[in-house]
Amino acid sequence: MNLTHIEHLGIAVKELAPAIEYYEKLLGQKCYSIEEVTDQKVRTAFFKVGSTKIELLEPTSEDSPIAKYLEKNPHGGVHHVAFCTDSVQTALGEAEALGIQLIDKTPRRGAEGLNIAFLHPKSTYGVLTEICEVPK
Ligand code: CO
């Protein structure tokens, strides 16, 4: 698969505000975007670290995947790693050919207008893996 770089790390947090404050101090920069992704029942906040971003994820409902993650990991934690590619659709086909279990068979729309799809942690050594593509 042609994955060019780690696009972002998704970090689950109970509350966005104090986590934003922490990352603003840690990284010495302001959060550049806050966005709600209704499809995934999360509010996201973004920082840039070189060519990689930090995506903070706060659940907006009790049945959010992030709420479920926080039940098991009450302090929060790294929820997923997202790799960048030219074509999510091509990457999904290649992943399937490699025997990797897919969560999404076709790309969907994520935060920042990216096309995204997830690979199942059962097939990825326990790491929820996102493949994403900046739409042309
Ligand atoms: Co993500």
Side-chain angles (χ1 to χ4, degrees), residues 7-10 40 46 55 57 79-82 111 116 118 130:
E7 212 280 337
H8 63 268
L9 286 179
Q40 286 157 69
F46 284 93
E55 175 187 52
L57 301 150
H79 177 259
H80 64 270
V81 59
I116 66 163
F118 284 97
E130 177 182 335

Side-chain angles (χ1 to χ4, degrees), residues 65-84:
I66 298 302
K68 285 174 191 150
Y69 178 91
L70 289 169
E71 276 170 27
K72 290 179 206 149
N73 305 273
H75 300 293
V78 177
H79 177 259
H80 64 270
V81 59
F83 294 99
C84 200

